Amino acid sequence: MSQTPIVQIQNLKKKIGNKTIIHGLTFDIYKGEVFGFLGPNGAGKTTTIRMMVGLMGITEGKVLIKGNDISKNFKEAISHIGAIVENPEMYKFLSGYKNLIHYSRMVKGVTKERIKEVVKLVGLEDAIHNKVKTYSLGMRQRLGIAQALLHSPSVLILDEPTNGLDPAGIREIRHYLRKLAQEEGLAVIVSSHLLAEMELMCDRIGILQNGQLIGVQNITEFVSGEEQKTVRFHVEPVEKAQRIFAAKLNDGVITTGEDYIDVLMEKEAIPDIVIDLVEEGIKIYGISEMTKTLEEKFLEVTGGKQVG
Amino acid sequence: MANFIGLIRNENMKIYRRIGSIIMLLLLVGGIILMGVIEKTTTEKANDANWKQAVTKEIKEDKKTLNEKLPDDIKKHVKRNIAINEYRLEHNIKPIQSDSLWGFVDNTSDLVSVISIFTIIIAGGILASEFSWGTIKLLLIRPVSRTMVLFSKYIATLLYAVFMLVVLFAVSWILGGILFGFEGVSAPYLAYTDGKVVEQNMVLHIMSTYGLNCISLIMMVTFAFMMSTVFRNSSLAIGISIFLTMGSSIAIQILHKYDWVKYVLFANTDLTQYTTGTPLVEGMTLGFSLTVLAVYFIIFVALSLVVFNKRDVAA
Ligand SMILES: Nc1ncnc2c1ncn2[C@@H]1O[C@H](COP(=O)(O)OP(=O)(O)O)[C@@H](O)[C@H]1O
Ligand SMILES: [Mg+2]
């Protein structure tokens, strides 16, 4: 990606009291992508988002939105952002529509037509004049997205947007966000502690743990980004085959199972090893490349700490 | 500017669409009606025809008291009474009875203190509730400075007080007219200034009564607003503010022999001490009180602004 980033996070730190919660995050986010912010509960996702939208002071480092420093040039920077921080809390005693009117009065240029458009986009036409206290969590989440999109921002930040939604709701949100990024060119930032969800929704993810960014990678690279692959050979007898692998591959990591051997090796070496195995009279029932799931990879990167 | 008006409209919407604010409005109207009913049913109808006799008798008694040994300020008060009563006889102006239109409006002006308490409740909750609802996060991520958000809330709170005062006046006037008749509507108020009696418009008199009561209202509402901004806890802010409002006059009376009391806010909120009464502590002047009030006001506002602007929002 050679374009200039819409959001630039530079060495972002947060200290509360004498406890450092965020230890220097640096990453960029581009137009048209869905960026996932992944990490277990307490990793610091919400704290980072709070700093990005100016709700919390920045101890050190910078957040730039279209080049505007959120701490120094708040009004300009924030006018490009739409966000939900944690739960989409709205005024329950007002109707959904009044809530949107409320937020529309705080920015310039949001017309009644725009409100109507956004309501339609999130599919709340039927319930928009009901009080928010009658809404389901999914409806509140959608109203939350509506208020975030009202002023046509370039950056959409959603903190755990799928929290408490049923699978259908999750699918719907995922569909939305992809559409917003692809068709409208928004930069979408979502946080989650659920891996499977991120895998389906995001183009890139940054993994956050204990306030540190462990890595930022493309989803595809992340899952299969290595030269060496784990290859599974279903063979018989396993013991004899293992000796052949040990002799032929000097540094391949080998693990054996009941009726298979997993070998970490380069793809190009497979034909040669097959010839060796056949010559030694080993029966081969199958050879398959093992792609790691994001989950396995995640556990590997975070040192096996369980998420969720 | 258009933006700021939008912010105030938002705050108004959030005040008036909540049941609590409506209940307070109904309580105020209910209070006025109750006062009217009590007045109507318990007070004997004053003998209108004989008011001149009654006034003459009062003047005689007052003059007798003047010969006794009394403190200066009481004598001043008695002299004022005599002057006004003599003016009444001279110009044929009936005294304002409590069972008349203006007498009733004057009586219900005591309800300004109830409006104070209601406005304190609004002030204590207007920011703290955004924190407890969690809506503060969505409110502060707009291209509007925190200072403006805070000001819009403060202005909306004061507008609520103004609205309640208008209701108080309008309902009292209409009910007073219905219960006691509209015939006394043109009666003037007799003011006594610099040893002279002057006729004043009754509406103006009521307005100045409201206005003087509003000094305490504004100070306590600003105090409650500051407390709730600093502690983000509406019950605490409301509780302390109401407690101080109600308990202060007693405390001030007990402590008034100490000189330092004059620097206490509550020693300065009652400005009638300079017009009709005597200053609480010798040497206090109107200018002194206004200065003290201004200093407190600036401290309350500055504290709210500084704390709110610096605060991390983690609700
Ligand atoms: N106001 C605060 N004061 C002290 N510690 C806090 C505060 N807010 C959050 N933390 C701590 O910061 C860490 C990150 O929290 P958070 O950003 O909410 O994580 P996440 O959103 O990833 O679950 C947690 O360990 C939490 O205890
Ligand atoms: Mg969180």
Side-chain angles (χ1 to χ4, degrees):
Chain A
M1 270 176 257
S2 57
Q3 38 167 253
T4 47
I6 291 196
V7 179
Q8 290 164 277
I9 312 278
Q10 297 168 358
N11 190 31
L12 188 66
K13 284 185 191 164
K14 180 70 188 176
K15 236 175 144 175
I16 296 183
N18 48 15
K19 188 176 155 210
T20 305
I21 296 174
I22 305 295
H23 302 261
L25 307 184
T26 301
F27 58 94
D28 292 338
I29 295 154
Y30 298 88
K31 188 175 186 293
E33 75 168 333
V34 180
F35 182 88
F37 214 27
L38 179 64
N41 284 326
K45 305 181 294 291
T46 301
T47 305
T48 305
I49 288 174
R50 283 202 170 111
M51 285 192 280
M52 288 171 71
V53 298
L55 287 176
M56 272 189 166
I58 292 170
T59 308
E60 210 186 305
K62 264 188 198 161
V63 172
L64 302 177
I65 313 290
K66 286 197 158 179
N68 302 290
D69 191 318
I70 192 81
S71 345
K72 294 202 185 95
N73 200 355
F74 174 75
K75 282 200 216 170
E76 177 63 27
I78 201 73
S79 65
H80 301 293
I81 299 180
I84 305 178
V85 183
E86 291 197 307
N87 306 315
E89 282 130 341
M90 312 291 268
Y91 302 102
K92 293 199 173 84
F93 53 89
L94 298 178
S95 67
Y97 188 73
K98 288 278 180 210
N99 269 280
L100 295 180
I101 289 281
H102 177 272
Y103 294 115
S104 75
R105 285 181 185 147
M106 300 187 79
V107 290
K108 280 194 196 81
V110 176
T111 58
K112 292 252 155 77
E113 283 69 45
R114 174 63 187 165
I115 297 178
K116 216 178 250 174
E117 198 179 300
V118 174
V119 168
K120 196 168 163 221
L121 181 75
V122 298
L124 272 180
E125 294 107 312
D126 293 337
I128 198 66
H129 291 289
N130 298 345
K131 294 239 163 90
V132 171
K133 61 175 153 232
T134 66
Y135 284 19
S136 68
L137 190 57
M139 287 159 84
R140 278 180 211 181
Q141 198 70 258
R142 282 189 273 170
L143 185 61
I145 293 177
Q147 66 74 31
L149 291 175
L150 261 190
H151 53 297
S152 315
S154 322
V155 182
L156 182 64
I157 303 177
L158 307 174
D159 191 9
E160 313 247 4
T162 55
N163 240 0
L165 294 190
D166 55 15
I170 293 175
R171 205 175 320 124
E172 198 179 338
I173 291 247
R174 192 201 307 148
H175 176 74
Y176 253 16
L177 298 185
R178 291 233 57 94
K179 197 169 119 176
L180 284 171
Q182 272 158 17
E183 291 173 20
E184 320 257 327
L186 267 78
V188 180
I189 302 168
V190 282
S191 81
S192 176
H193 61 279
L194 297 172
L195 238 111
E197 212 175 277
M198 288 301 222
E199 207 168 358
L200 292 167
M201 204 180 323
C202 305
D203 301 305
R204 284 195 308 150
I205 57 169
I207 299 178
L208 194 66
Q209 198 184 29
N210 296 326
Q212 269 157 335
L213 200 60
I214 294 173
V216 181
Q217 272 174 304
N218 284 334
I219 283 286
T220 43
E221 277 173 24
F222 187 60
V223 179
S224 58
E226 291 161 337
E227 293 284 295
Q228 293 201 314
K229 312 256 184 239
T230 303
V231 183
R232 175 166 292 184
F233 293 86
H234 286 271
V235 289
E236 201 187 78
V238 173
E239 294 75 23
K240 193 176 169 193
Q242 193 191 347
R243 261 176 272 128
I244 297 164
F245 279 114
K248 292 283 171 191
L249 305 166
N250 18 20
D251 61 344
V253 179
I254 300 165
T255 44
T256 54
E258 185 88 335
D259 58 347
Y260 64 87
I261 300 176
D262 283 350
V263 187
L264 187 65
M265 59 187 293
E266 278 166 29
K267 210 172 176 173
E268 288 70 34
I270 295 175
D272 287 342
I273 204 85
V274 168
I275 292 168
D276 291 337
L277 291 172
V278 172
E279 279 177 358
E280 294 291 333
I282 305 240
K283 292 177 191 149
I284 303 173
Y285 296 100
I287 301 170
S288 52
E289 185 185 313
M290 307 288 292
T291 41
K292 279 185 195 154
T293 64
L294 188 59
E295 178 121 25
E296 286 168 310
K297 179 69 191 218
F298 179 78
L299 292 176
E300 200 178 292
V301 172
T302 59
K305 190 170 186 237
Q306 198 63 47
V307 280
Chain B
M1 197 58 207
N3 214 346
F4 189 65
I5 289 168
L7 294 185
I8 292 175
R9 287 175 70 195
N10 277 347
E11 295 309 323
N12 284 343
M13 179 167 76
K14 289 182 276 186
I15 291 175
Y16 299 105
R17 283 183 188 263
R18 273 161 68 205
I19 191 78
S21 327
I22 304 302
I23 289 174
M24 290 194 285
L25 177 66
L26 294 178
L27 282 175
L28 177 69
V29 174
I32 299 167
I33 293 173
L34 191 70
M35 281 180 77
V37 169
I38 290 174
E39 185 68 53
K40 183 81 187 171
T41 52
T42 60
T43 319
E44 280 177 52
K45 186 82 185 134
N47 196 340
D48 271 7
N50 292 334
W51 70 267
K52 282 188 178 168
Q53 281 174 1
V55 168
T56 316
K57 202 174 141 210
E58 210 182 309
I59 294 174
K60 231 183 245 165
E61 279 168 10
D62 278 347
K63 280 187 171 163
K64 229 185 278 166
T65 0
L66 269 187
N67 295 326
E68 290 164 29
K69 251 194 149 27
L70 283 169
D72 271 359
D73 52 307
I74 295 188
K75 280 198 173 169
K76 218 166 90 189
H77 186 74
V78 174
K79 269 187 200 157
R80 173 175 173 270
N81 260 354
I82 295 171
I84 290 176
N85 277 334
E86 282 175 341
Y87 190 93
R88 289 195 185 286
L89 291 177
E90 213 172 300
H91 295 85
N92 198 23
I93 300 168
K94 232 169 46 176
I96 304 288
Q97 309 284 359
S98 61
D99 60 346
S100 71
L101 170 62
W102 286 117
F104 182 64
V105 175
D106 207 23
N107 281 347
T108 56
S109 71
D110 287 346
L111 290 176
V112 174
S113 59
V114 172
I115 295 180
S116 284
I117 290 174
F118 289 169
T119 313
I120 285 171
I121 292 173
I122 298 281
I126 197 162
L127 184 69
S129 346
E130 300 268 4
F131 278 90
S132 57
W133 295 330
T135 45
I136 189 75
K137 292 175 291 187
L138 292 184
L139 190 69
L140 294 185
I141 56 167
R142 314 285 150 182
V144 173
S145 70
R146 288 193 186 186
T147 301
M148 282 302 147
V149 170
L150 202 64
F151 267 135
S152 67
K153 287 184 176 293
Y154 184 66
I155 301 283
T157 306
L158 293 184
L159 285 176
Y160 178 80
V162 170
F163 168 68
M164 293 290 267
L165 288 170
V166 169
V167 169
L168 173 63
F169 182 81
V171 174
S172 299
W173 195 87
I174 293 169
L175 191 68
I178 293 170
L179 290 177
F180 310 112
F182 287 98
E183 55 269 18
V185 68
S186 57
Y189 174 75
L190 298 185
Y192 182 74
T193 43
D194 306 327
K196 257 185 18 215
V197 177
V198 279
E199 290 187 25
Q200 260 182 11
N201 186 319
M202 218 29 187
V203 178
L204 216 67
H205 165 65
I206 301 288
M207 289 299 141
S208 70
T209 308
Y210 282 14
L212 283 169
N213 281 314
C214 276
I215 291 166
S216 158
L217 181 149
I218 290 175
M219 294 309 293
M220 289 322 291
V221 163
T222 312
F223 177 75
F225 194 77
M226 181 271 289
M227 292 289 283
S228 100
T229 311
V230 173
F231 297 106
R232 276 178 302 170
N233 181 325
S234 56
S235 333
L236 182 82
I238 294 166
I240 291 181
S241 306
I242 292 180
F243 176 77
L244 286 177
T245 309
M246 313 239 275
S248 64
S249 59
I250 299 165
I252 290 295
Q253 282 316 312
I254 294 170
L255 296 170
H256 84 278
K257 50 179 169 291
Y258 299 105
D259 191 56
W260 54 262
V261 171
K262 65 183 180 193
Y263 298 109
V264 174
L265 170 61
F266 306 104
N268 296 283
T269 45
D270 179 18
L271 294 184
T272 57
Q273 60 183 313
Y274 303 114
T275 54
T276 53
T278 38
L280 190 78
V281 176
E282 225 179 64
M284 277 172 74
T285 61
L286 181 63
F288 173 83
S289 281
L290 290 178
T291 311
V292 172
L293 290 172
V295 169
Y296 273 102
F297 184 81
I298 290 167
I299 291 174
F300 293 162
V301 172
L303 214 56
S304 309
L305 276 177
V306 169
V307 171
F308 187 57
N309 270 302
K310 291 198 91 149
R311 164 145 290 155
D312 274 354
V313 175

